[in-house]
Amino acid sequence: MKRKLFVGALAFSLVASSLVGCGKKEEEGAESKEIKIGMFGPLSGPVSTYGQSVKEGIELAEKEVNAAGGIDGNKVKLVFEDDQANPNQAINAFNKLVDKEKVVAIIGGVTSGATSAAAPKATQKNIPMLTPTATEPSVTEVGGDFMFRACYLDSFQGKTMARYAANELGKKTAAVLYNVGDDYSKGIAQSFKEKFESEGGKVVEYMSYNKDDKDFNAQLTKIKGANPDVLLLPDYYNVVGVIAKQAKTLGLNAQLLGVDGWDSSELTKIAGDALEGAVFVNHYYQGDEAKEVSDFVAAYEKAYGKKPDALAALGYDAAKTMFKAIDDADTTDGKKVREALAKVEYPGVTGKLSFDENRNAVKSATILKVVGDKYELDTKVDPE
Amino acid sequence: MELVQQLINGLSLGSIYALIALGYTMVYGIIKLINFAHGDIYMIGAFTGFYFATTADMSFIPTLILAMIVSVIFGVVIEKIAYKPLRNSPRITLLITAIGVSLLLENGMRYLVGPDPKSFPSLIDESSHTFFGLQISNIQLLTLGVSIFLMIALEFIVFKTKTGKAMRAASHDTEAASLMGINVDNTISFTFALGSALAGAAGVLVALAWTTIDPYMGIMPGLKAFVAAVLGGIGSIPGALIGGILIGITETFSKSFEMTSRLSDAITFSILIIILLVKPAGLLGKVTREKV
């Protein structure tokens, strides 16, 4: 009994002291405030690599801004929450960040489903929220005025590839093979088809497959029969590698076109040499000689001992953009930061970033070419 | 010409389904269990092959044989630990256990190797041959060749050896077989071993042809092979063969048309429903009355 009492007293005193601690900090804030910014994303679970990459990018941005004296002299502190790419967890993470941690802004989520779930709360609570990577078109719509997006939309990738194939490569006929069980793949396929046809091209085959398919010989045989100039494969690297390999075995000669889901060091391991010369849209190019990019890549390599992928670059840009908006607003008041964010212009690693009236990023796309097991910069395409 | 090409594609896909379906059908024939963990044995085969090929740099034949051996061990151990204690329980208990084993294997493997797909090393230099305008890759030929070889071996074991005879007897009537001096426990283990060996081989063949493997790779092929076994008549070995090939060809053709391409899985599974409605015993299955 005595022991229980003691533990209880200890627990109480701990809670009390932590409360006192909080109070003190806020008082101190008058001179040098700590700016708390939240981040949520899948830090564990099947797509944890996405969340970890974004987190690393954001942490690098945090380190850099604090090393430079913070925002108007106030240190920045990032608080991370795990949503496991699950919409319910994302809402919990959002509530925890806003109600308990009292963050002034949020960078996240990382996956589209989780972001859409939490996005409406951003506008309800007047918390500016900026997703680095959710590409699903409706995210900013359902989120409302406080939901911003730092990457381009799926449809933009499709349109960019269509313009590139029709104008730069001068191709006339195209085939599309997309994943019918995935909105990302479907969205790109559709926007590519519309744009390619409006640019005067012809989509000769528009085929699909199911989410877990591994055998694509049937569709590829059909596509081969139509003999298209280009073949668009809008899916992630693990599927694209398999398709490319089977296409090569079947003797399909079309130029292969791809999207940002291709970006992985595993891609050419799976595909072997079947993707040689294929081109795909991406957010940035690691070997880009522009100063923003080379500085970022060097700093990231120093911090983590590896090359940053596109998600890390997007996370970094999103964090830096948010810092700039808070700096511009000269306050952490949600409404004012939102106004500043809507007007911000930031020369990021993934291209010069600003937001359109729907709070989506307007930025240029990079087209990369697969050479051996590396990528080379092919060209950059500006938005129309 | 495209039609013939699609037929070849379907045949090579179907031979994989047939290899898996054989395991379903043999196990069902002998203990009336739909072994839902069977598709995961196929996954185990692929991963074993992956580790032997990457860490020990083995070539195709030893990889295939070792993958089959490890699959056999898994199959037999699962039977001993999970199914044997339930031999006299209601069939639904066994079925639920099978689903549990399946989940255990999938998630256990995910825990061990992580959820990311792995790329299977190319044990054989891929090349494609052109016959009269048809493209056939050496891997497709290999898949067909190995499948046919294994099926002939199976046919031999089941119909020409003593153990095979015991299997057939036990499948006909377990109780009577045990009264005639057949060691039913060993025979059942042997059946699991045979089925698992075929599934393990299918795993390696598929990994070679489709390059990526992941812990959940067994679910879909497992289900389709199950449909194939039911289509051919569950319990019937030639039925599983025919069923597998038919499902492979149906899937390939439904995928090759824009209209039906997104429905290919729906079409495969509606075959299951139609068969159950029209000819519940399957194409080659015998109608059996429940013994009361």
Side-chain angles (χ1 to χ4, degrees), chain B residues 35 37 41 69-85 87 97 101 104-105 188-193 196:
Chain B
N35 181 13
I41 296 287
I69 292 173
V70 173
S71 305
V72 165
I73 295 171
F74 266 86
V76 172
V77 168
I78 289 167
E79 193 270 327
K80 290 275 183 237
I81 294 176
Y83 304 148
K84 198 180 161 204
R87 185 96 16 102
T97 311
V101 171
L104 176 74
L105 289 178
I188 290 174
S189 292
F190 186 73
T191 311
F192 270 90
S196 303

Side-chain angles (χ1 to χ4, degrees), chain B residues 29-30 165-175 177 182 184 187-188:
Chain B
I30 202 155
K165 208 173 194 176
M167 270 173 69
R168 281 180 290 140
S171 137
H172 197 70
D173 189 331
T174 324
E175 220 162 274
I182 291 171
V184 174
T187 310
I188 290 174

Side-chain angles (χ1 to χ4, degrees), chain A residues 178 208 215 218 221-222 249, chain B residues 6 9 126 137 255-256 261-262:
Chain A
Y178 68 99
S208 64
D215 174 40
T221 301
K222 187 88 203 280
T249 312
Chain B
Q6 296 290 21
N9 294 338
E126 195 156 0
S137 78
K255 274 182 187 169
S256 69
S261 130
R262 63 179 61 188

